[in-house]
Amino acid sequence: MSDPINSLVEEIRARATALGFDACRLASAGAAWAAGDHLGQFVEAGRHGEMAWMETTLDRRRHPTAMWDRARTAIVLGLNYGPGTDPLVELEDGSRGYISVYARGDDYHELIKGRLKTLAGFIAAKTGEDVKVFVDTAPLMEKPLAQRAGLGWQGKHTNLLSRRHGNWLFLGVILSAADLSVDEAEGEHCGSCTACLDACPTGAFPAPFQLDARRCLSYLTIEFAGPWAEEFREATGSRIYGCDDCLAVCPWNKFAETSREARLAARDEAVSPPLAELAALDDAGFRARFRKSPIKRIGRDRFVRNVLYAIGNSGDVALLDIARRLTGDPDPVVRDAAGWAVARLESARR
């Protein structure tokens, strides 16, 4: 006679696969873990930078049951967004912007959330227990849950790393009040490799498995609203939204496959877009261009600031007039970035 709980778990996995997920594993939502203490130390050290929401939601983030005390099982889903080629090759052309691989297609939040809700409804109907759905924006630590469920492990760059998918997995979580059978946790398989740490353009890793977000180009280009320190402006190169260096150099990517999800396929305008074209965007143009993209949430001003830093690093004096025009922009941070870019290009012209 088959175990009804195990049979249900297999039904859940089959339904997840049918919905397009590439991984589905389960973990206990109630078991103790050290992740909450690690997060507390991260925030206490100020390494979260201006992400004040990490501090205000810290108590709820420490453990899944701190946010929902009825949580018993976490169903962790992974969606592969692996690129077809090495994206870092694109950094060689300084006149074009670099957009992180994850942001080149449709906004993954919207894509995953709808599928999670469908799967959660199935689980609730089968178990008769309540469920809650999470995709990145809620105060839930998905990566430790994913490691506990066996999807992968948090590498030395602190991102989730999978032996099957490399560094390229979006995560979603369903918390259930039902007690379901769980999978074996994944151990750490980084060994002595330090490729991700060595690749970081800004030295954002004070030690293996530790990140100082204040030095991370993903944080600076996306979360940080003000003008950057000089060292980071130069280090960003042509990276205008996010940074993939620590992900892309990982040797485990040799096992990764190109994403099969059509909505995550890179749009032509998101792969090495000309800086001149991006710098000319006004607010309406920005919103129209990125309306289905996660890029839209940072707004035109922050995006154009990033573009201007890349223009200043390009050495392309043909971009000088564009930078000069933006020294009169209504936004003071954009004006500051434009002035910096002008000075750099004028110096390059001499």
Side-chain angles (χ1 to χ4, degrees):
M1 178 180 288
S2 63
D3 182 336
I5 293 181
N6 286 332
S7 295
L8 174 56
V9 169
E10 291 312 309
E11 284 187 69
I12 292 170
R13 292 195 212 281
R15 184 62 64 95
T17 299
L19 287 168
F21 289 107
D22 296 288
C24 173
R25 293 176 67 89
L26 284 72
S28 168
W33 65 6
D37 290 337
H38 295 159
L39 179 63
Q41 293 163 8
F42 173 80
V43 172
E44 185 177 357
R47 290 178 177 172
H48 60 305
E50 291 191 353
M51 295 183 288
W53 43 268
M54 294 197 73
E55 188 170 355
T56 57
T57 61
L58 179 59
D59 289 341
R60 283 188 293 155
R61 287 180 183 276
R62 289 183 184 273
H63 195 274
T65 57
M67 185 174 55
W68 187 35
D69 60 6
R70 293 183 55 205
R72 295 293 177 267
T73 306
I75 300 93
V76 187
L77 291 305
L79 184 62
N80 172 36
Y81 70 99
T85 58
D86 177 7
L88 299 187
V89 173
E90 299 164 27
L91 291 169
E92 295 172 5
D93 186 349
S95 68
R96 292 176 173 269
Y98 183 91
I99 292 173
S100 182
V101 170
Y102 90 86
R104 297 180 178 188
D106 284 1
D107 189 337
Y108 70 94
H109 298 90
E110 300 301 322
L111 174 62
I112 294 177
K113 194 165 188 177
R115 297 178 184 184
L116 282 180
K117 287 182 176 180
T118 299
L119 183 60
F122 171 79
I123 295 169
K126 286 288 188 176
T127 63
E129 297 286 356
D130 289 341
V131 293
K132 291 185 183 291
V133 169
F134 303 91
V135 188
D136 189 32
T137 54
L140 183 72
M141 299 175 70
E142 295 102 333
K143 289 183 287 187
L145 274 176
Q147 182 160 354
R148 178 178 284 178
L151 265 74
W153 69 97
Q154 284 189 259
K156 291 180 181 178
H157 52 19
T158 74
N159 293 293
L160 190 77
L161 179 52
S162 163
R163 284 190 283 187
R164 179 180 174 189
H165 301 288
N167 290 263
W168 315 111
L169 270 183
F170 289 132
L171 297 176
V173 176
I174 300 168
L175 292 183
S176 171
D179 284 305
L180 301 173
S181 57
V182 299
D183 294 297
E184 184 177 350
E186 178 69 276
E188 181 256 306
H189 301 285
C190 290
S192 60
C193 178
T194 60
C196 59
L197 310 182
D198 300 336
C200 180
T202 56
F205 302 106
F209 309 105
Q210 295 182 29
L211 170 70
D212 188 338
R214 295 169 297 184
R215 300 189 63 85
C216 175
L217 289 175
S218 285
Y219 164 78
L220 288 165
T221 56
I222 299 169
E223 302 290 347
F224 187 74
W228 297 5
E230 181 86 15
E231 62 173 311
F232 302 134
R233 298 182 190 202
E234 295 181 11
T236 198
S238 58
R239 301 168 188 84
I240 57 173
Y241 187 91
C243 178
D244 292 321
D245 292 44
C246 67
L247 302 178
V249 300
C250 179
W252 282 104
N253 287 333
K254 65 185 176 183
F255 298 111
E257 298 178 354
T258 303
S259 174
R260 58 192 175 91
E261 175 54 59
R263 289 177 60 186
L264 295 178
R267 297 189 183 94
D268 290 342
E269 64 267 25
V271 180
S272 298
L275 294 174
E277 185 178 295
L278 300 177
L281 291 173
D282 59 12
D283 187 61
F286 171 82
R287 285 186 283 110
R289 182 173 182 131
F290 298 114
R291 65 186 180 88
K292 291 186 176 181
S293 166
I295 297 173
K296 67 182 181 296
R297 80 177 183 87
I298 71 169
R300 176 264 179 191
D301 295 342
R302 197 177 304 183
F303 183 75
V304 172
R305 172 203 63 184
N306 300 343
V307 170
L308 283 163
Y309 291 150
I311 285 175
N313 291 324
S314 70
D316 185 354
V317 294
L319 297 172
L320 190 51
D321 286 344
I322 294 170
R324 282 180 177 147
R325 284 198 296 272
L326 287 167
T327 58
D329 193 84
D331 183 79
V333 177
V334 171
R335 291 198 302 270
D336 172 81
W340 182 83
V342 168
R344 293 269 290 183
L345 291 177
E346 287 180 338
S347 178
R349 189 170 60 174
R350 296 191 190 107

